[in-house]
Structures are given as structure tokens and as C-alpha cells.
Amino acid sequence: MTAQLGRRDDVAAARAAALAGLDTSRWPAKLPVRDRLTLLFDPGSFVEDGLLANARSEGLPADGVVTGVGRIEGRLVAVIAHDFTVKAGSWGELGCEKQIRILERADRDLLPVVYLVDSAGGRLNDQMGFFPGRRGASRIFHLQVRLSGRVPQVCCLLGPSAAGGAYMPAFTDWVGMVEGNASMYLASPRVAEKVTGEVTTLEEMGGARMHATVSGCGDEVFGSDGEAIAAARLLLTYLPDSFRDRPAVAEPRPPALPHWPDDLVPSDPNQPYDVNDVIDRIVDEGSFFEIKSGWATEMVCGLGRIEGRVVGVVANQPSVRSGAIFVDSADKAARFISLCDAFNIPIVFLQDVPGFMVGVAVERQGIIRHGAKMLVAMASAEVPRFTVVLRKAYAAGYYAMCAPGFEPRATLALPTATIGTMAPEASANAMYANRIAQIEDPGERAAFVARRVAEQEAEVNLLRMGSDLVVDAVVEPGDMRAELVARLAAADGWDRTRDRRHHVVSPV
């Protein structure tokens, strides 16, 4: 198995394989399309459409794409699977028509869609078939956008996804890529060199690891087709069939690590720790499915279960860049929150945030605009939201992680929590900078600063926060999971606001 990006990825792949009932030791890295479908669907459940497409043309069986409907864990799911042995899985007129027809059916019947992508893009000797018309590639993309938020769309990128076809994975909710085989690019290295003079490699420009760690276009890296397909099967167990439904409740399991050590969340706000150790004590054992584990790692996002109920987790990661929110981590959180809201998944925010990153570089990257996207996604989400302040919650980062003004169902805090515009030390130094500079004696200066810091700490202490209804409860660490279990159950009757507006105008 290829070395994975996050510390849980090998465990997740093994869980996925066990769920699918597959023996990973027998999987070659790259499989023929029919074997891929055998791994994807429950035995004997696949019903194919358009098998005889282009049967009069030699060398074009099924026109290079297999479409149809099968069952995954008993649920009906539509599939588009490119056949790389037929003209490199390229798209022609009838291949586009087949993909359009299955997406139209998914839209009509509200079926989740799995994409097994392995395509060199449009078939250049059939440009009039795939490119300019009403039933070409643009119609495929239109239908993918129409399906977005209506049904889950999951992509296993098992080979190339080239040129305009690279947008097929981009429109889906999750992209698992096979290292060494999968690639995603608008132009090949050869074309890029001709156009820009830039000399590069396919892996550097569009490989799996690059997209999963740099661009954010990929969600996870796998070592074989089978691992990616098994992970897609597993992901679908967290998602409902459509926006009209709620995720299925599974058999409850205790957390992997029920004991909460006293120093798990250090009281020193500057001491790093791994927020995954907190997540392990809140969600059911083995249930955390991390999303984009290798990208913008100062933010952890993923799906898990609490007493069998599916939840989304959005957590700051103090062990990476202090958990500050950067441009990419704001985008990562915004997209994940939108996914949860689309498919009726409650969200738990785990706050330990010093704020948004500051400085010339991030301002030029548009940190305000990207932060606004996260705030818009969070504020627009109508699913039940719960905020847990683990330690520090400072500045606009506190807002973005679902502060009380954004109407979470509850704001809970550990005894280690501090909420404020900034750390008490920084606040005191900012407020009294001139006075501090005027004190010449070092001892007197230190004593003055200590008094001012104590005043700031008193201003933002938890008793004050609870008294003023900023937090709803201060919860001992060992009781936090039980508190969330009770509050999730109490929110069961939630419903959406009707006819408020079409949608927000999102920041770019």
C-alpha cells in the first residue's frame, strides 16, 4: 500500500476494504473497467445501459464508457466508468450521450453518482460530437452542477483527467486519486511547454500528491484502484441518497480512547497538541473519515459518528501553524461545511484558534475574501451546529468557527477555554503600550504588565462568559462526548427555513 498523507489514512483504507469485503493483497494497482465495477457494486446488482454504443465502429466497444445503475450496500447508485483500453477512455459523441443520459436519470430519480474517471479527454477526431453542441461535454458539466447538493457525487480518479474533462472530478464532492496513475490537468506538460515555455512533469503539474497537498483539488491519495473504490463505498455510508433524506444511523460504538488525560489539552495556549486526539475521544471508534487530510492541515475536517449519528467535524489543529486560519484552510472549511449542510449532517466545531493569519502575504492572497467565504458557508448552514471551545478562541477566528452570534445550538467550553479579541498578554500590551514604554525600571514595568494581564484575564474568564450567556455550559473533558450525545438527540426535530431566498451571493 502506498504511504498515505494523514496518520489515519492507512487505517481508513483498511476499514474501507473490510467494509467492501475485499482482499487488498490481491489488487493490482490498475484494474480493467469491468473489474472496477465488480469491486464497486454489490455482487450481481449492476444493470448496464448503452452496451452497444458505436457497435458499427471497429475498436470502439461501448464507445469507451460504461454507464448504468447498481447497488452499494443495498442502495441504488448510478455510475460513469471510463474504459481506458478504448481510445484512452476519450469522449466522443455517443460516449457523451451515455454520460448525459445517466446523469439525467440520476437527476430525475435522485440517485447518488460514482465517477470512475480514467480519460484522456475529448476525442479530437470527433470534435463535433463532444465539443460544441447541446449534448456534448458542456451538457455533462451542466448536469453535474445541477446535481450538486441534490445527490452525493463521488469520484475515484484512477487515471488521467485531461483538458476540459478535468472539470468532471472538480464538480464532485470528493476525489480519491491513485498515486502514479491519476492525474488532473488542463494541458499536458508538452502543451504547457509549447504555450508558456515551462518545462515540467506530469506528476509535478497534475499528479495525485500535488493535488492532495498543494492545489486541494484531490481529497486523498491511494495506492491502488481497489483502495480508492473501497474508500468511495465507505464514504457513501455517511451520506444520504439525496438532499431530501438524512444519513442513516449506525450501531453506536464507544470512542476509541474513552479516557481523557489531564494534559491532553494543555492550559498553556502556546503549547501545541494534536486535535485528532480530542476527536478520538468524541466520535465512535473507527468512524472518523477525514476529508482533505493532506491539504491546509491547520484545519481538520471530516465525517464521523457520535452514538451512531453522522456528524461533520471542523477543528483547528494547534500542532500545525498554531491552528491559525489561512486562505486554503478557510476554503477547506467552507467547502466541507457546505457539503454537510447540503446533506443534512450536523456540524461540531472544535475551536482552538488564535485567529486568521495576518501579514502582507496573506492579505495579498485575499485572506479577507476567503475568510468571508468560510463565514458565509457557516452562517448559511441550517443544519444543527454545536461549538466546543477547547482552549483559545480569539479574534475573527472565533467568529468563523461558529461563535454564539451565528446561532449554534449550543456553545460549550472546556475549563481550559479562553474567549477574547486576543490573548490577555497581547491585549494588555496593545492597550498600554505607551505607558509600558515610559516605565524605566524593569521590575516596575513587569509588575505593571502583570497587573494589566490579570485584569484582562478576569475580563474574559469562563465564569464571566457563562454568567453573560456567552457559553451555555462549561463541561469537564471526560463528559464532553456525553454532552454532545444529549444535545444531538435534543436537536432531532430540526427543520429548514422555507422560502427565505434562492441562495446567498458568495464571495469569489
Side-chain angles (χ1 to χ4, degrees):
M1 184 182 297
T2 299
Q4 305 296 322
L5 296 172
R7 70 185 185 97
R8 281 179 171 67
D9 296 356
D10 52 344
V11 178
R15 285 203 318 269
L19 181 78
L22 305 170
D23 179 5
T24 61
S25 66
R26 296 185 292 107
W27 295 344
K30 192 174 181 73
L31 296 169
V33 67
R34 300 288 170 177
D35 289 350
R36 292 169 175 172
L37 293 169
T38 297
L39 295 181
L40 178 66
F41 288 121
D42 299 347
S45 69
F46 180 54
V47 179
E48 185 174 351
D49 295 324
L51 175 61
L52 299 180
N54 235 338
R56 293 178 298 175
S57 298
E58 188 173 344
L60 287 170
D63 206 56
V65 61
V66 181
T67 61
V69 172
R71 293 188 182 273
I72 297 177
E73 297 293 310
R75 297 164 57 188
L76 275 177
V77 175
V79 70
I80 289 174
H82 301 130
D83 186 347
F84 66 90
T85 68
V86 179
K87 301 292 185 183
S90 57
W91 297 6
E93 179 178 5
L94 293 178
C96 283
E97 181 63 25
K98 288 175 67 173
Q99 294 177 87
I100 289 166
R101 288 178 63 197
I102 195 64
L103 292 175
E104 288 174 336
R105 178 175 175 185
D107 187 42
R108 182 175 62 248
D109 296 349
L110 289 180
L111 300 177
V113 184
V114 173
Y115 302 82
L116 303 182
V117 175
D118 193 346
S119 171
R123 197 175 300 150
L124 294 180
N125 62 351
D126 191 9
Q127 289 191 51
M128 290 304 296
F130 81 84
F131 183 67
R134 291 181 175 85
R135 302 288 288 185
S138 61
R139 176 63 175 166
I140 294 172
F141 300 150
H142 184 192
L143 286 164
Q144 285 190 275
V145 173
R146 179 187 292 180
L147 287 166
S148 181
R150 281 171 56 77
V151 299
Q153 298 184 84
V154 174
C155 175
C156 295
L157 187 46
L158 311 175
S161 182
Y167 284 101
M168 175 170 273
F171 290 130
T172 66
D173 302 317
W174 179 86
V175 181
M177 302 180 70
V178 175
E179 187 163 29
N181 291 334
S183 58
M184 195 176 351
Y185 51 88
L186 294 181
S188 69
R190 185 174 66 244
V191 173
E193 183 177 358
K194 290 287 186 184
V195 173
T196 68
E198 183 180 26
V199 178
T200 185
T201 66
L202 185 58
E203 281 298 313
E204 183 182 23
M205 186 171 72
R209 197 156 291 271
M210 187 284 288
H211 279 306
T213 61
V214 179
S215 76
C217 292
D219 285 85
E220 213 59 78
V221 176
F222 297 94
S224 69
D225 290 1
E227 291 171 13
I229 291 169
R233 285 176 58 100
L234 178 60
L235 175 58
L236 284 171
T237 66
Y238 292 84
L239 302 173
D241 288 341
S242 77
F243 74 104
R244 291 178 176 167
D245 305 314
R246 297 189 181 179
V249 178
E251 188 70 26
R253 286 184 292 190
L257 300 170
H259 175 61
W260 195 304
D262 292 339
D263 60 349
L264 184 67
V265 178
S267 56
D268 179 356
N270 298 316
Q271 185 176 338
Y273 67 94
D274 188 349
V275 77
N276 285 299
D277 293 333
V278 174
I279 295 170
D280 280 342
R281 288 164 170 81
I282 290 176
V283 302
D284 295 4
E285 181 178 8
S287 72
F288 190 60
F289 190 107
E290 191 168 355
I291 303 294
K292 298 188 186 298
S293 67
W295 183 60
T297 53
E298 64 275 7
M299 185 76 74
V300 175
C301 299
L303 299 170
R305 290 187 174 86
I306 297 179
E307 280 294 288
R309 301 169 188 269
V310 177
V311 298
V313 177
V314 179
N316 307 115
Q317 176 56 287
S319 67
V320 180
R321 303 204 279 192
S322 300
I325 302 174
F326 286 72
V327 166
D328 283 347
S329 44
D331 284 354
K332 176 179 177 176
R335 179 175 170 82
F336 179 72
I337 292 166
S338 294
L339 173 72
C340 291
D341 188 52
F343 296 117
N344 307 313
I345 298 171
I347 306 170
V348 176
F349 292 85
L350 300 178
Q351 288 208 23
D352 194 338
V353 59
F356 283 89
M357 188 58 188
V358 298
V360 173
V362 290
E363 293 293 357
R364 290 186 175 190
Q365 292 165 7
I367 187 69
I368 296 169
R369 175 167 49 86
H370 290 272
K373 282 194 285 188
M374 180 179 174
L375 282 156
V376 166
M378 178 273 299
S380 300
E382 294 192 303
V383 294
R385 292 169 287 134
F386 305 89
T387 299
V388 178
V389 182
L390 300 175
R391 192 171 56 173
K392 58 186 177 294
Y394 296 153
Y398 167 58
Y399 285 0
M401 292 292 292
C402 200
F406 292 95
E407 299 184 332
R409 296 299 177 105
T411 300
L412 311 174
L414 295 185
T416 45
T418 303
I419 300 170
T421 54
M422 61 182 72
E425 295 84 356
S427 179
N429 277 279
M431 292 173 63
Y432 299 102
N434 292 336
R435 179 66 201 284
I436 291 169
Q438 292 169 1
I439 303 174
E440 296 181 359
D441 181 79
E444 184 182 348
R445 186 188 311 118
F448 177 83
V449 171
R451 290 195 298 273
R452 303 290 84 81
V453 169
E455 290 171 0
Q456 292 299 303
E457 288 175 340
E459 179 74 12
V460 297
N461 71 51
L462 278 182
L463 180 60
R464 168 74 182 274
M465 293 295 172
S467 178
D468 291 350
L469 297 182
V470 174
V471 299
D472 294 294
V474 178
V475 182
E476 291 297 325
D479 298 329
M480 184 57 72
R481 174 181 159 91
E483 184 80 18
L484 288 170
V485 168
R487 290 185 180 275
L488 280 163
D492 266 350
W494 75 275
D495 202 358
R496 293 186 180 273
T497 303
R498 304 295 179 186
D499 300 324
R500 178 178 291 174
R501 61 183 168 207
H502 295 303
H503 55 74
V504 302
V505 179
S506 177
V508 175

